[in-house]
Amino acid sequence: MTVAVEMVKCACADCVCVVSTAKAVEAEGRLFCGDNCADHHAQSAGCDHAGCPCHG
């Protein structure tokens, strides 16, 4: 039996976001909620999702 995962937690350790696998940003073989998390917050920017405290 195959189970399709549709939602995953962002791979950024500090991020609390859950993202659709179809809309996730893939980097380094992991799924992130957006570009800021995917590039390890190189610009010290949060993910810009309401209520999420991550800043890398």
mmCIF file of all heavy atoms in Angstrom:
data_model
loop_
_atom_site.group_PDB
_atom_site.id
_atom_site.type_symbol
_atom_site.label_atom_id
_atom_site.label_comp_id
_atom_site.label_asym_id
_atom_site.label_seq_id
_atom_site.Cartn_x
_atom_site.Cartn_y
_atom_site.Cartn_z
ATOM 1 N N MET A 1 0.840 -1.180 0.000
ATOM 2 C CA MET A 1 0.000 0.000 0.000
ATOM 3 C C MET A 1 0.888 1.247 0.000
ATOM 4 O O MET A 1 1.831 1.359 0.765
ATOM 5 C CB MET A 1 -0.876 -0.010 1.260
ATOM 6 C CG MET A 1 -1.751 1.214 1.367
ATOM 7 S SD MET A 1 -3.101 0.955 2.507
ATOM 8 C CE MET A 1 -2.610 1.923 3.879
ATOM 9 N N THR A 2 0.583 2.196 -0.851
ATOM 10 C CA THR A 2 1.319 3.443 -0.944
ATOM 11 C C THR A 2 0.503 4.560 -0.325
ATOM 12 O O THR A 2 -0.674 4.709 -0.615
ATOM 13 C CB THR A 2 1.616 3.795 -2.416
ATOM 14 O OG1 THR A 2 2.335 2.718 -2.997
ATOM 15 C CG2 THR A 2 2.405 5.067 -2.521
ATOM 16 N N VAL A 3 1.156 5.334 0.535
ATOM 17 C CA VAL A 3 0.490 6.469 1.173
ATOM 18 C C VAL A 3 1.124 7.746 0.646
ATOM 19 O O VAL A 3 2.340 7.917 0.718
ATOM 20 C CB VAL A 3 0.642 6.402 2.719
ATOM 21 C CG1 VAL A 3 0.021 7.615 3.367
ATOM 22 C CG2 VAL A 3 0.037 5.123 3.252
ATOM 23 N N ALA A 4 0.302 8.627 0.103
ATOM 24 C CA ALA A 4 0.814 9.896 -0.422
ATOM 25 C C ALA A 4 0.767 10.951 0.681
ATOM 26 O O ALA A 4 -0.261 11.164 1.304
ATOM 27 C CB ALA A 4 -0.026 10.343 -1.606
ATOM 28 N N VAL A 5 1.898 11.596 0.908
ATOM 29 C CA VAL A 5 1.967 12.661 1.903
ATOM 30 C C VAL A 5 1.628 13.962 1.187
ATOM 31 O O VAL A 5 2.232 14.297 0.176
ATOM 32 C CB VAL A 5 3.377 12.738 2.529
ATOM 33 C CG1 VAL A 5 3.474 13.911 3.485
ATOM 34 C CG2 VAL A 5 3.710 11.440 3.231
ATOM 35 N N GLU A 6 0.653 14.690 1.713
ATOM 36 C CA GLU A 6 0.230 15.928 1.076
ATOM 37 C C GLU A 6 0.713 17.163 1.809
ATOM 38 O O GLU A 6 0.873 18.219 1.201
ATOM 39 C CB GLU A 6 -1.294 15.959 0.959
ATOM 40 C CG GLU A 6 -1.831 14.903 0.007
ATOM 41 C CD GLU A 6 -3.330 14.925 -0.108
ATOM 42 O OE1 GLU A 6 -3.941 15.940 0.291
ATOM 43 O OE2 GLU A 6 -3.900 13.941 -0.590
ATOM 44 N N MET A 7 0.953 17.058 3.108
ATOM 45 C CA MET A 7 1.388 18.194 3.910
ATOM 46 C C MET A 7 2.588 17.766 4.753
ATOM 47 O O MET A 7 2.608 16.664 5.287
ATOM 48 C CB MET A 7 0.263 18.665 4.841
ATOM 49 C CG MET A 7 -1.019 19.080 4.141
ATOM 50 S SD MET A 7 -0.896 20.585 3.186
ATOM 51 C CE MET A 7 -0.841 21.812 4.461
ATOM 52 N N VAL A 8 3.583 18.652 4.855
ATOM 53 C CA VAL A 8 4.767 18.373 5.664
ATOM 54 C C VAL A 8 5.152 19.616 6.452
ATOM 55 O O VAL A 8 4.845 20.737 6.056
ATOM 56 C CB VAL A 8 5.975 17.931 4.794
ATOM 57 C CG1 VAL A 8 5.712 16.598 4.133
ATOM 58 C CG2 VAL A 8 6.342 18.983 3.781
ATOM 59 N N LYS A 9 5.869 19.408 7.559
ATOM 60 C CA LYS A 9 6.403 20.529 8.316
ATOM 61 C C LYS A 9 7.609 21.057 7.554
ATOM 62 O O LYS A 9 8.384 20.302 6.994
ATOM 63 C CB LYS A 9 6.838 20.085 9.719
ATOM 64 C CG LYS A 9 7.303 21.259 10.584
ATOM 65 C CD LYS A 9 8.339 20.813 11.598
ATOM 66 C CE LYS A 9 8.967 21.988 12.290
ATOM 67 N NZ LYS A 9 9.953 22.710 11.478
ATOM 68 N N CYS A 10 7.749 22.360 7.524
ATOM 69 C CA CYS A 10 8.907 22.983 6.883
ATOM 70 C C CYS A 10 10.183 22.410 7.496
ATOM 71 O O CYS A 10 10.274 22.220 8.713
ATOM 72 C CB CYS A 10 8.846 24.497 7.087
ATOM 73 S SG CYS A 10 10.255 25.386 6.408
ATOM 74 N N ALA A 11 11.188 22.159 6.664
ATOM 75 C CA ALA A 11 12.448 21.566 7.124
ATOM 76 C C ALA A 11 13.307 22.533 7.937
ATOM 77 O O ALA A 11 14.277 22.122 8.560
ATOM 78 C CB ALA A 11 13.244 21.052 5.929
ATOM 79 N N CYS A 12 12.962 23.810 7.971
ATOM 80 C CA CYS A 12 13.675 24.784 8.798
ATOM 81 C C CYS A 12 13.387 24.464 10.270
ATOM 82 O O CYS A 12 12.231 24.376 10.669
ATOM 83 C CB CYS A 12 13.197 26.192 8.456
ATOM 84 S SG CYS A 12 13.841 27.506 9.506
ATOM 85 N N ALA A 13 14.428 24.277 11.044
ATOM 86 C CA ALA A 13 14.268 23.843 12.441
ATOM 87 C C ALA A 13 13.431 24.807 13.287
ATOM 88 O O ALA A 13 12.683 24.369 14.158
ATOM 89 C CB ALA A 13 15.640 23.657 13.071
ATOM 90 N N ASP A 14 13.537 26.107 13.048
ATOM 91 C CA ASP A 14 12.818 27.089 13.860
ATOM 92 C C ASP A 14 11.412 27.387 13.350
ATOM 93 O O ASP A 14 10.642 28.068 14.008
ATOM 94 C CB ASP A 14 13.597 28.408 13.909
ATOM 95 C CG ASP A 14 14.930 28.257 14.609
ATOM 96 O OD1 ASP A 14 15.053 27.362 15.471
ATOM 97 O OD2 ASP A 14 15.853 29.025 14.289
ATOM 98 N N CYS A 15 11.085 26.920 12.173
ATOM 99 C CA CYS A 15 9.815 27.237 11.527
ATOM 100 C C CYS A 15 8.699 26.322 12.039
ATOM 101 O O CYS A 15 8.913 25.138 12.269
ATOM 102 C CB CYS A 15 9.976 27.086 10.017
ATOM 103 S SG CYS A 15 8.587 27.724 9.066
ATOM 104 N N VAL A 16 7.518 26.886 12.208
ATOM 105 C CA VAL A 16 6.370 26.102 12.660
ATOM 106 C C VAL A 16 5.375 25.859 11.526
ATOM 107 O O VAL A 16 4.311 25.294 11.742
ATOM 108 C CB VAL A 16 5.656 26.784 13.858
ATOM 109 C CG1 VAL A 16 6.581 26.874 15.060
ATOM 110 C CG2 VAL A 16 5.126 28.162 13.468
ATOM 111 N N CYS A 17 5.725 26.265 10.322
ATOM 112 C CA CYS A 17 4.805 26.159 9.187
ATOM 113 C C CYS A 17 4.657 24.724 8.686
ATOM 114 O O CYS A 17 5.595 23.937 8.718
ATOM 115 C CB CYS A 17 5.289 27.035 8.038
ATOM 116 S SG CYS A 17 5.239 28.794 8.389
ATOM 117 N N VAL A 18 3.455 24.442 8.208
ATOM 118 C CA VAL A 18 3.166 23.189 7.519
ATOM 119 C C VAL A 18 2.810 23.591 6.096
ATOM 120 O O VAL A 18 2.043 24.532 5.882
ATOM 121 C CB VAL A 18 1.993 22.440 8.192
ATOM 122 C CG1 VAL A 18 1.603 21.217 7.394
ATOM 123 C CG2 VAL A 18 2.373 22.052 9.612
ATOM 124 N N VAL A 19 3.398 22.905 5.135
ATOM 125 C CA VAL A 19 3.245 23.303 3.739
ATOM 126 C C VAL A 19 2.804 22.121 2.882
ATOM 127 O O VAL A 19 3.138 20.977 3.171
ATOM 128 C CB VAL A 19 4.575 23.907 3.212
ATOM 129 C CG1 VAL A 19 5.687 22.895 3.232
ATOM 130 C CG2 VAL A 19 4.411 24.521 1.838
ATOM 131 N N SER A 20 2.044 22.421 1.852
ATOM 132 C CA SER A 20 1.636 21.420 0.884
ATOM 133 C C SER A 20 2.863 20.960 0.114
ATOM 134 O O SER A 20 3.702 21.775 -0.282
ATOM 135 C CB SER A 20 0.613 22.051 -0.067
ATOM 136 O OG SER A 20 0.648 21.455 -1.325
ATOM 137 N N THR A 21 2.997 19.665 -0.103
ATOM 138 C CA THR A 21 4.149 19.156 -0.850
ATOM 139 C C THR A 21 4.150 19.708 -2.277
ATOM 140 O O THR A 21 5.207 19.870 -2.869
ATOM 141 C CB THR A 21 4.170 17.617 -0.872
ATOM 142 O OG1 THR A 21 2.929 17.140 -1.399
ATOM 143 C CG2 THR A 21 4.395 17.048 0.511
ATOM 144 N N ALA A 22 2.992 20.042 -2.813
ATOM 145 C CA ALA A 22 2.900 20.580 -4.168
ATOM 146 C C ALA A 22 3.418 22.017 -4.246
ATOM 147 O O ALA A 22 3.909 22.448 -5.284
ATOM 148 C CB ALA A 22 1.459 20.527 -4.652
ATOM 149 N N LYS A 23 3.332 22.770 -3.141
ATOM 150 C CA LYS A 23 3.738 24.175 -3.148
ATOM 151 C C LYS A 23 5.060 24.423 -2.422
ATOM 152 O O LYS A 23 5.552 25.546 -2.392
ATOM 153 C CB LYS A 23 2.648 25.033 -2.507
ATOM 154 C CG LYS A 23 1.374 25.057 -3.311
ATOM 155 C CD LYS A 23 0.351 25.969 -2.697
ATOM 156 C CE LYS A 23 -0.907 25.996 -3.547
ATOM 157 N NZ LYS A 23 -1.897 26.924 -3.035
ATOM 158 N N ALA A 24 5.641 23.391 -1.858
ATOM 159 C CA ALA A 24 6.885 23.535 -1.088
ATOM 160 C C ALA A 24 8.059 23.884 -2.004
ATOM 161 O O ALA A 24 8.050 23.582 -3.194
ATOM 162 C CB ALA A 24 7.183 22.239 -0.352
ATOM 163 N N VAL A 25 9.058 24.534 -1.423
ATOM 164 C CA VAL A 25 10.304 24.838 -2.123
ATOM 165 C C VAL A 25 11.299 23.746 -1.740
ATOM 166 O O VAL A 25 11.573 23.547 -0.558
ATOM 167 C CB VAL A 25 10.843 26.225 -1.713
ATOM 168 C CG1 VAL A 25 12.201 26.486 -2.345
ATOM 169 C CG2 VAL A 25 9.847 27.314 -2.074
ATOM 170 N N GLU A 26 11.820 23.040 -2.730
ATOM 171 C CA GLU A 26 12.765 21.963 -2.447
ATOM 172 C C GLU A 26 14.192 22.473 -2.546
ATOM 173 O O GLU A 26 14.557 23.155 -3.506
ATOM 174 C CB GLU A 26 12.566 20.803 -3.419
ATOM 175 C CG GLU A 26 13.424 19.603 -3.068
ATOM 176 C CD GLU A 26 13.123 18.378 -3.902
ATOM 177 O OE1 GLU A 26 12.130 18.383 -4.652
ATOM 178 O OE2 GLU A 26 13.904 17.427 -3.796
ATOM 179 N N ALA A 27 14.990 22.177 -1.522
ATOM 180 C CA ALA A 27 16.405 22.532 -1.509
ATOM 181 C C ALA A 27 17.141 21.483 -0.695
ATOM 182 O O ALA A 27 16.662 21.055 0.355
ATOM 183 C CB ALA A 27 16.602 23.918 -0.894
ATOM 184 N N GLU A 28 18.277 21.066 -1.175
ATOM 185 C CA GLU A 28 19.102 20.078 -0.477
ATOM 186 C C GLU A 28 18.328 18.803 -0.173
ATOM 187 O O GLU A 28 18.559 18.145 0.838
ATOM 188 C CB GLU A 28 19.666 20.678 0.812
ATOM 189 C CG GLU A 28 20.488 21.927 0.586
ATOM 190 C CD GLU A 28 20.806 22.682 1.860
ATOM 191 O OE1 GLU A 28 20.382 22.260 2.951
ATOM 192 O OE2 GLU A 28 21.481 23.719 1.750
ATOM 193 N N GLY A 29 17.370 18.465 -1.017
ATOM 194 C CA GLY A 29 16.588 17.251 -0.835
ATOM 195 C C GLY A 29 15.534 17.337 0.254
ATOM 196 O O GLY A 29 14.965 16.329 0.643
ATOM 197 N N ARG A 30 15.281 18.549 0.758
ATOM 198 C CA ARG A 30 14.281 18.740 1.812
ATOM 199 C C ARG A 30 13.243 19.752 1.339
ATOM 200 O O ARG A 30 13.491 20.519 0.415
ATOM 201 C CB ARG A 30 14.948 19.225 3.096
ATOM 202 C CG ARG A 30 16.019 18.263 3.578
ATOM 203 C CD ARG A 30 16.682 18.664 4.868
ATOM 204 N NE ARG A 30 17.107 20.052 4.887
ATOM 205 C CZ ARG A 30 17.472 20.700 5.990
ATOM 206 N NH1 ARG A 30 17.488 20.087 7.146
ATOM 207 N NH2 ARG A 30 17.847 21.959 5.933
ATOM 208 N N LEU A 31 12.088 19.757 1.998
ATOM 209 C CA LEU A 31 10.995 20.649 1.616
ATOM 210 C C LEU A 31 10.848 21.786 2.622
ATOM 211 O O LEU A 31 10.809 21.556 3.828
ATOM 212 C CB LEU A 31 9.684 19.866 1.520
ATOM 213 C CG LEU A 31 9.673 18.754 0.470
ATOM 214 C CD1 LEU A 31 8.359 17.977 0.547
ATOM 215 C CD2 LEU A 31 9.875 19.321 -0.927
ATOM 216 N N PHE A 32 10.737 23.005 2.104
ATOM 217 C CA PHE A 32 10.630 24.206 2.916
ATOM 218 C C PHE A 32 9.358 24.962 2.543
ATOM 219 O O PHE A 32 8.852 24.837 1.432
ATOM 220 C CB PHE A 32 11.841 25.109 2.688
ATOM 221 C CG PHE A 32 13.143 24.500 3.121
ATOM 222 C CD1 PHE A 32 13.875 23.716 2.253
ATOM 223 C CD2 PHE A 32 13.637 24.709 4.395
ATOM 224 C CE1 PHE A 32 15.075 23.143 2.643
ATOM 225 C CE2 PHE A 32 14.837 24.147 4.806
ATOM 226 C CZ PHE A 32 15.558 23.367 3.930
ATOM 227 N N CYS A 33 8.902 25.827 3.460
ATOM 228 C CA CYS A 33 7.669 26.584 3.213
ATOM 229 C C CYS A 33 7.887 27.753 2.262
ATOM 230 O O CYS A 33 6.934 28.287 1.715
ATOM 231 C CB CYS A 33 7.058 27.075 4.522
ATOM 232 S SG CYS A 33 8.016 28.363 5.352
ATOM 233 N N GLY A 34 9.115 28.170 2.068
ATOM 234 C CA GLY A 34 9.385 29.289 1.171
ATOM 235 C C GLY A 34 10.866 29.480 0.943
ATOM 236 O O GLY A 34 11.710 28.789 1.525
ATOM 237 N N ASP A 35 11.181 30.460 0.105
ATOM 238 C CA ASP A 35 12.575 30.713 -0.270
ATOM 239 C C ASP A 35 13.454 31.115 0.908
ATOM 240 O O ASP A 35 14.614 30.728 0.980
ATOM 241 C CB ASP A 35 12.645 31.791 -1.348
ATOM 242 C CG ASP A 35 12.069 31.312 -2.671
ATOM 243 O OD1 ASP A 35 12.188 30.111 -2.974
ATOM 244 O OD2 ASP A 35 11.502 32.150 -3.403
ATOM 245 N N ASN A 36 12.930 31.924 1.836
ATOM 246 C CA ASN A 36 13.751 32.370 2.971
ATOM 247 C C ASN A 36 14.227 31.194 3.812
ATOM 248 O O ASN A 36 15.383 31.141 4.222
ATOM 249 C CB ASN A 36 13.000 33.377 3.840
ATOM 250 C CG ASN A 36 12.854 34.716 3.163
ATOM 251 O OD1 ASN A 36 13.618 35.058 2.280
ATOM 252 N ND2 ASN A 36 11.863 35.473 3.566
ATOM 253 N N CYS A 37 13.350 30.265 4.081
ATOM 254 C CA CYS A 37 13.754 29.078 4.846
ATOM 255 C C CYS A 37 14.685 28.197 4.017
ATOM 256 O O CYS A 37 15.670 27.669 4.534
ATOM 257 C CB CYS A 37 12.530 28.275 5.283
ATOM 258 S SG CYS A 37 11.574 29.047 6.610
ATOM 259 N N ALA A 38 14.400 28.064 2.733
ATOM 260 C CA ALA A 38 15.211 27.206 1.867
ATOM 261 C C ALA A 38 16.645 27.697 1.745
ATOM 262 O O ALA A 38 17.567 26.898 1.604
ATOM 263 C CB ALA A 38 14.579 27.095 0.486
ATOM 264 N N ASP A 39 16.859 29.023 1.811
ATOM 265 C CA ASP A 39 18.232 29.531 1.707
ATOM 266 C C ASP A 39 18.832 29.821 3.080
ATOM 267 O O ASP A 39 19.788 30.578 3.205
ATOM 268 C CB ASP A 39 18.324 30.734 0.780
ATOM 269 C CG ASP A 39 17.717 32.011 1.348
ATOM 270 O OD1 ASP A 39 17.314 32.032 2.531
ATOM 271 O OD2 ASP A 39 17.652 33.008 0.604
ATOM 272 N N HIS A 40 18.265 29.185 4.112
ATOM 273 C CA HIS A 40 18.766 29.281 5.491
ATOM 274 C C HIS A 40 18.794 30.722 5.997
ATOM 275 O O HIS A 40 19.692 31.118 6.729
ATOM 276 C CB HIS A 40 20.150 28.634 5.622
ATOM 277 C CG HIS A 40 20.169 27.214 5.173
ATOM 278 N ND1 HIS A 40 19.592 26.191 5.893
ATOM 279 C CD2 HIS A 40 20.674 26.643 4.051
ATOM 280 C CE1 HIS A 40 19.749 25.050 5.251
ATOM 281 N NE2 HIS A 40 20.397 25.299 4.126
ATOM 282 N N HIS A 41 17.818 31.509 5.545
ATOM 283 C CA HIS A 41 17.659 32.892 6.007
ATOM 284 C C HIS A 41 18.937 33.698 5.800
ATOM 285 O O HIS A 41 19.387 34.410 6.692
ATOM 286 C CB HIS A 41 17.202 32.927 7.470
ATOM 287 C CG HIS A 41 15.904 32.212 7.679
ATOM 288 N ND1 HIS A 41 14.687 32.806 7.485
ATOM 289 C CD2 HIS A 41 15.641 30.920 8.021
ATOM 290 C CE1 HIS A 41 13.728 31.914 7.716
ATOM 291 N NE2 HIS A 41 14.286 30.767 8.035
ATOM 292 N N ALA A 42 19.507 33.578 4.618
ATOM 293 C CA ALA A 42 20.755 34.281 4.293
ATOM 294 C C ALA A 42 20.630 35.788 4.496
ATOM 295 O O ALA A 42 21.604 36.459 4.793
ATOM 296 C CB ALA A 42 21.163 33.970 2.853
ATOM 297 N N GLN A 43 19.442 36.318 4.341
ATOM 298 C CA GLN A 43 19.213 37.752 4.531
ATOM 299 C C GLN A 43 18.641 38.050 5.921
ATOM 300 O O GLN A 43 18.147 39.136 6.169
ATOM 301 C CB GLN A 43 18.246 38.280 3.464
ATOM 302 C CG GLN A 43 18.651 37.974 2.036
ATOM 303 C CD GLN A 43 20.015 38.536 1.687
ATOM 304 O OE1 GLN A 43 20.354 39.647 2.058
ATOM 305 N NE2 GLN A 43 20.809 37.755 0.974
ATOM 306 N N SER A 44 18.674 37.062 6.825
ATOM 307 C CA SER A 44 18.115 37.177 8.176
ATOM 308 C C SER A 44 16.637 37.522 8.159
ATOM 309 O O SER A 44 16.132 38.199 9.041
ATOM 310 C CB SER A 44 18.885 38.223 9.004
ATOM 311 O OG SER A 44 20.216 37.808 9.156
ATOM 312 N N ALA A 45 15.945 37.071 7.150
ATOM 313 C CA ALA A 45 14.513 37.326 7.027
ATOM 314 C C ALA A 45 13.730 36.115 7.506
ATOM 315 O O ALA A 45 14.152 34.990 7.332
ATOM 316 C CB ALA A 45 14.168 37.616 5.570
ATOM 317 N N GLY A 46 12.581 36.378 8.116
ATOM 318 C CA GLY A 46 11.693 35.291 8.512
ATOM 319 C C GLY A 46 11.008 34.726 7.283
ATOM 320 O O GLY A 46 11.240 35.163 6.157
ATOM 321 N N CYS A 47 10.130 33.786 7.489
ATOM 322 C CA CYS A 47 9.440 33.179 6.355
ATOM 323 C C CYS A 47 8.250 34.013 5.896
ATOM 324 O O CYS A 47 7.634 33.703 4.886
ATOM 325 C CB CYS A 47 9.010 31.755 6.680
ATOM 326 S SG CYS A 47 7.684 31.632 7.892
ATOM 327 N N ASP A 48 7.902 35.047 6.660
ATOM 328 C CA ASP A 48 6.807 35.952 6.320
ATOM 329 C C ASP A 48 5.411 35.344 6.438
ATOM 330 O O ASP A 48 4.465 35.896 5.923
ATOM 331 C CB ASP A 48 6.996 36.563 4.916
ATOM 332 C CG ASP A 48 8.257 37.386 4.812
ATOM 333 O OD1 ASP A 48 8.631 38.046 5.805
ATOM 334 O OD2 ASP A 48 8.882 37.364 3.740
ATOM 335 N N HIS A 49 5.299 34.222 7.113
ATOM 336 C CA HIS A 49 3.982 33.649 7.365
ATOM 337 C C HIS A 49 3.492 34.115 8.734
ATOM 338 O O HIS A 49 4.248 34.087 9.715
ATOM 339 C CB HIS A 49 4.026 32.109 7.280
ATOM 340 C CG HIS A 49 4.347 31.627 5.908
ATOM 341 N ND1 HIS A 49 5.434 30.836 5.619
ATOM 342 C CD2 HIS A 49 3.721 31.832 4.715
ATOM 343 C CE1 HIS A 49 5.472 30.574 4.321
ATOM 344 N NE2 HIS A 49 4.450 31.180 3.764
ATOM 345 N N ALA A 50 2.273 34.553 8.803
ATOM 346 C CA ALA A 50 1.708 35.100 10.043
ATOM 347 C C ALA A 50 1.853 34.134 11.202
ATOM 348 O O ALA A 50 1.546 32.945 11.058
ATOM 349 C CB ALA A 50 0.243 35.437 9.829
ATOM 350 N N GLY A 51 2.364 34.620 12.313
ATOM 351 C CA GLY A 51 2.481 33.817 13.520
ATOM 352 C C GLY A 51 3.708 32.938 13.603
ATOM 353 O O GLY A 51 3.919 32.263 14.607
ATOM 354 N N CYS A 52 4.550 32.934 12.575
ATOM 355 C CA CYS A 52 5.741 32.096 12.622
ATOM 356 C C CYS A 52 6.926 32.922 13.081
ATOM 357 O O CYS A 52 7.246 33.953 12.499
ATOM 358 C CB CYS A 52 6.032 31.491 11.247
ATOM 359 S SG CYS A 52 7.400 30.299 11.334
ATOM 360 N N PRO A 53 7.629 32.466 14.120
ATOM 361 C CA PRO A 53 8.736 33.232 14.693
ATOM 362 C C PRO A 53 10.110 32.963 14.067
ATOM 363 O O PRO A 53 11.096 33.505 14.518
ATOM 364 C CB PRO A 53 8.738 32.760 16.148
ATOM 365 C CG PRO A 53 8.319 31.323 16.051
ATOM 366 C CD PRO A 53 7.292 31.303 14.944
ATOM 367 N N CYS A 54 10.180 32.146 13.029
ATOM 368 C CA CYS A 54 11.498 31.731 12.531
ATOM 369 C C CYS A 54 12.258 32.880 11.886
ATOM 370 O O CYS A 54 11.696 33.744 11.233
ATOM 371 C CB CYS A 54 11.398 30.556 11.583
ATOM 372 S SG CYS A 54 10.953 30.942 9.889
ATOM 373 N N HIS A 55 13.563 32.843 12.073
ATOM 374 C CA HIS A 55 14.473 33.783 11.423
ATOM 375 C C HIS A 55 15.786 33.107 11.104
ATOM 376 O O HIS A 55 16.805 33.751 10.968
ATOM 377 C CB HIS A 55 14.722 35.009 12.304
ATOM 378 C CG HIS A 55 13.536 35.890 12.429
ATOM 379 N ND1 HIS A 55 13.102 36.712 11.412
ATOM 380 C CD2 HIS A 55 12.650 36.041 13.427
ATOM 381 C CE1 HIS A 55 12.011 37.347 11.801
ATOM 382 N NE2 HIS A 55 11.718 36.952 13.009
ATOM 383 N N GLY A 56 15.746 31.767 11.036
ATOM 384 C CA GLY A 56 16.941 31.017 10.652
ATOM 385 C C GLY A 56 17.868 30.729 11.737
ATOM 386 O O GLY A 56 17.982 30.609 12.784
#
